[in-house]
Amino acid sequence: MTTPSPLLMIPGPVELSPAVRAAAALPPPSHTSPRLIEAFGRSIERMREVWRADAASQPFIVAGSGTLAMDTVAANLMAPGERAVVVKTGYFSDRMVTILLRWGVEVVEVSSVVGGAPPAVEVQKALERSGRVRALFATHVDTSTGVRLDPEPLCRLAREAGVLSVIDGVCATAGERFAMADWGADVYFTASQKAIGLPPGLALMVASERALAARAARPGTPPPLFLDWDSWLPIHRAYEERKPSYFATPATSLVMALETGLGEILDEGIEARVETHARAAAAMRSAWRALDLRPVPRSEALTANTLSALNVPAGIDPAIPARVAAHGVTIAGGLHPAIKNSSFRVGHMGYAVTRPDFLRRTVEAVAVALREAGAEVDPDAALEAVDREMETTRV
Ligand SMILES: *Cc1c(COP(=O)(O)O)cnc(C)c1O
């Protein structure tokens, strides 16, 4: 007898669709087999569509996690001694600062209170005041605070200042609105286990033509071989032309899953998929309101659709994830150091947003756990809120 595995509702890894699971479970193909070459080539083409990037942009599919993408971008775009502006909205923008500092980059930070995001005008001032800035870094959704910023004005400011824009989309890509070409973004990257709905193990990046030119013009010692876009460009170009190639063994099973997962997103349509995330998020938010749970983000406009970061109610034992786990659902505790013990997080991204039953099970488990912890809440009212929202927003 096996016990059913708990429902995984954390901000990555996420629940997988049956088709993605099946693709990932195939016997690992050779990196030079026609089937893998086709999957790799198609994945490159499909990434451009999901990212809404232009034909001149270059997708990169590299074995690793989101942090590898962060290191890679820093190493390819920045030379030691150059300057970057980082918009800080939580733990992951702090990590970007750490990575840049290790790389010898001079970092100008534009900060905000926990749960907030600095206004674009502050970013503009930082770009104007600092001078000689090479790149602007921002996190689309910071997974530690649930804060979503609007990348569009930031990309525009970067363009106007002649600065590269790098957006960390790890908790956002395919779940939040993004239009790489229209907004003139230079790099948008994610990791496979987040909103794009795959198993962990792939760093997925798309670089604009301008970003590739910046790599080519970058002074000094080239980046470490595995991180260097120049190492990966020939094999990505070969795969896109459906030719075998080798630099370092790709995660072939994950590439099979990627082809399938991107295909599912594009079958729905990227804009429809983003809308499905918005609908699921609206349902979850109305349930949290029914349970008197306050979100960490300071305003509705700053609240991500891919996850909920929630404050633990006053007087309630903060070990909520452990109580929720007893009801068969895995959620996450706090991550940002300032709110680690006073917040918890629920992921609603990828395949899960297409499953109202997953959302209901999650809300019910959280509601029952809160009641057991001593909160005066009504689980039925929370479930009704979800149902009402899924009903009224269905077209
Ligand atoms: C998860 C996450 C990362 C780091 O990704 P890993 O795959 O854990 O290395 C970076 N940025 C954001 C916004 C994330 O949510």
Side-chain angles (χ1 to χ4, degrees), residues 65-67 70 92 95 139 141 143 168 170-171 191 193-194:
S65 81
T67 307
M70 299 165 89
F92 287 104
R95 173 171 295 182
T139 315
V141 170
T143 321
D168 172 346
V170 178
C171 202
Q193 79 279 15
K194 306 264 175 118

